[in-house]
């Protein structure tokens, strides 16, 4: 008879690590965000974005044709900084 022991904690750690790596890879696949992706990533409406940080000179953006594009890496960095600057309620 064969007995198999499974270290559930080790498997859970490995799964979490792999999921984190995959999420980073998916995030790294996007070079630019468009308006819809920005709204999706921030869970904010377009009006809220415009009223609160769109015109901040630190927020990198470029209009190409009629479409706004935002560099994904710089956008994420700015948004993390912007959120840290917001007062606690």
């Amino acid at each position: 008879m064969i007995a198999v022991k499974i270290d559930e904690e080790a498997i859970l750690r490995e799964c979490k690590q792999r999921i984190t790596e995959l999420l980073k890879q998916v995030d790294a696949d996007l070079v630019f965000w468009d308006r819809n992706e920005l709204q999706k990533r921030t869970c904010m409406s377009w009006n809220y974005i415009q009223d609160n940080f769109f015109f901040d000179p630190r927020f990198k953006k470029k209009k190409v044709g009629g479409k706004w594009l935002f560099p994904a890496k710089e956008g994420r960095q700015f948004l993390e900084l912007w959120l840290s600057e917001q007062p606690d309620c």
Side-chain angles (χ1 to χ4, degrees):
M1 180 185 282
I2 298 175
V4 177
K5 289 187 176 184
I6 298 175
D7 184 347
E8 291 180 20
E9 288 183 27
I11 291 173
L12 187 58
R13 277 193 309 272
E14 184 67 28
C15 288
K16 285 181 181 180
Q17 180 182 352
R18 184 68 180 133
I19 290 169
T20 300
E21 291 170 5
L22 289 171
L23 287 173
K24 286 179 183 177
Q25 181 181 356
V26 167
D27 202 32
D29 286 345
L30 293 176
V31 176
F32 298 108
W33 296 339
D34 64 4
R35 174 182 151 171
N36 290 333
E37 187 67 23
L38 177 63
Q39 288 176 260
K40 180 178 145 187
R41 296 282 176 148
T42 60
C43 298
M44 297 174 184
S45 71
W46 186 241
N47 287 338
Y48 186 87
I49 290 169
Q50 288 182 312
D51 291 343
N52 288 278
F53 63 81
F54 186 81
F55 297 103
D56 186 316
R58 301 173 297 167
F59 183 59
K60 303 295 183 211
K61 59 195 162 292
K62 185 162 188 153
K63 195 164 192 179
V64 178
K67 187 172 190 162
W68 282 104
L69 295 175
F70 314 95
K73 182 179 177 183
E74 291 87 346
R76 176 180 289 282
Q77 290 171 343
F78 169 80
L79 290 168
E80 290 173 359
L81 175 65
W82 176 82
L83 183 61
S84 73
E85 296 171 346
Q86 301 311 298
D88 294 332
C89 293

